[in-house]
Amino acid sequence: MFIQTETRDDGRTIGFFPGRAVLDQGRKRFADAEAASASPLAQRIFAVDGVESVTLDGDSIVVSRTSSADWVSMKPAVLGAIMQHFTSGDPVLVEAPEVSDAPEAAPADSLEDEADPEVRAKLIDLITTRIRPAVTQSGGEIEYKWVRDGILYLHLAGAGLQMKAGIENMLRHYLPEIQAVRDWRESLPKPGLGTDRGQAIARFLDERINPSVASHGGHIALVDVQDDRVFIRLEGGCHGCGMADVTLKQGVEVEIKRAFPDISAVLDVTDHASGNNPYYQA
């Protein structure tokens, strides 16, 4: 069995092409070994030390390593795991609840797609043929969700979040009826943002924090305020940056706590190492 490989731009991700179908349709991403219980193939790959995530596609298996791991020792082991799977006769997927980064239940009204069928078809075609190849090549994810009030909501992960501005510019060029592009999680209810304290923290970020962060190409977005916790998202140049945790803990969190003493924790909804979103999974 000959398996071709392709190293992605980030150096931490390799695509493995076994020369046969992996999934009949769709795409499955497993963020850890526990999530991979639905896939014997992914379980075998996670048995290799240093594997961070596994994504199964139509004809490929995309594997990302942790920052401390080394492909020199990992790559032969991953190749062996893939070969072992395809010679075992085991299925790629078994019957199990679908693995997703989405919350267990999103508000029903968030699922209504207001896009005109012709506009929807054009959007999906542009995303599939022009945008997704670049996003996946960089180790990211993108998926059409819905259109509400002229805003296109997408599932974005990894490099997809970093490329959001470029994606928006392209889609708005071809389809002027699209006013903005947002990650679909932006549509989820965030009651804390409507409170006086939530609005005060939002102003503080815009006036005190973001001007400094913007000088480095980054942006801090306020996601929600729950009790004594503030949830933010590091965007732009901050997303995936090796100094993201330092920026959060030694900079943003200190400033917010100083201005709002009742806040006990400032949490980033994106785990920059694995791409998980613990806030949205809660």
Side-chain angles (χ1 to χ4, degrees), residues 40-241:
L41 171 57
Q43 284 181 313
R44 285 186 166 95
I45 296 172
F46 271 111
V48 177
D49 288 339
V51 172
E52 180 178 81
S53 69
V54 177
T55 301
L56 307 180
D57 213 329
D59 61 351
S60 67
I61 303 151
V62 179
V63 181
S64 294
R65 63 172 176 81
T66 61
S67 58
S68 59
D70 187 345
W71 277 119
V72 173
S73 58
M74 282 181 60
K75 189 174 179 181
V78 172
L79 286 167
I82 295 173
M83 293 181 68
Q84 181 185 25
H85 175 81
F86 282 105
T87 56
S88 70
D90 291 339
V92 172
L93 294 176
V94 295
E95 292 296 328
E98 185 172 342
V99 176
S100 172
D101 286 337
E104 293 183 1
D109 63 349
S110 295
L111 304 178
E112 297 174 7
D113 192 350
E114 297 177 350
D116 176 84
E118 184 176 348
V119 172
R120 183 188 304 117
K122 289 181 179 179
L123 283 169
I124 293 175
D125 179 64
L126 285 168
I127 291 169
T128 303
T129 62
R130 300 198 178 200
I131 299 175
R132 181 174 291 150
V135 172
T136 55
Q137 185 177 11
S138 299
E141 298 178 18
I142 181 171
E143 179 185 347
Y144 175 89
K145 283 297 195 180
W146 57 77
V147 174
R148 299 290 303 276
D149 300 322
I151 299 173
L152 169 62
Y153 290 93
L154 301 170
H155 165 72
L156 297 168
L161 283 168
Q162 295 175 275
M163 300 166 69
K164 186 168 75 71
I167 293 169
E168 178 176 306
N169 290 337
M170 173 181 284
L171 293 178
R172 291 181 65 186
H173 172 75
Y174 287 101
L175 292 163
E177 36 288 68
I178 299 301
Q179 301 171 16
V181 171
R182 295 178 185 170
D183 185 89
W184 71 275
R185 289 162 292 203
E186 296 290 339
S187 66
L188 300 180
K190 305 176 184 69
L193 299 186
T195 64
D196 291 341
R197 184 173 58 163
Q199 294 174 8
I201 294 173
R203 287 194 299 271
F204 180 80
L205 284 173
D206 289 340
E207 297 171 3
R208 296 286 301 276
I209 302 295
N210 275 319
S212 175
V213 176
S215 66
H216 300 281
H219 181 264
I220 308 293
L222 179 61
V223 174
D224 202 357
V225 179
Q226 295 181 357
D227 299 324
D228 59 347
R229 297 178 301 167
V230 172
F231 293 90
I232 63 172
R233 181 173 59 249
L234 276 63
E235 301 176 335
C238 293
H239 183 81
C241 172

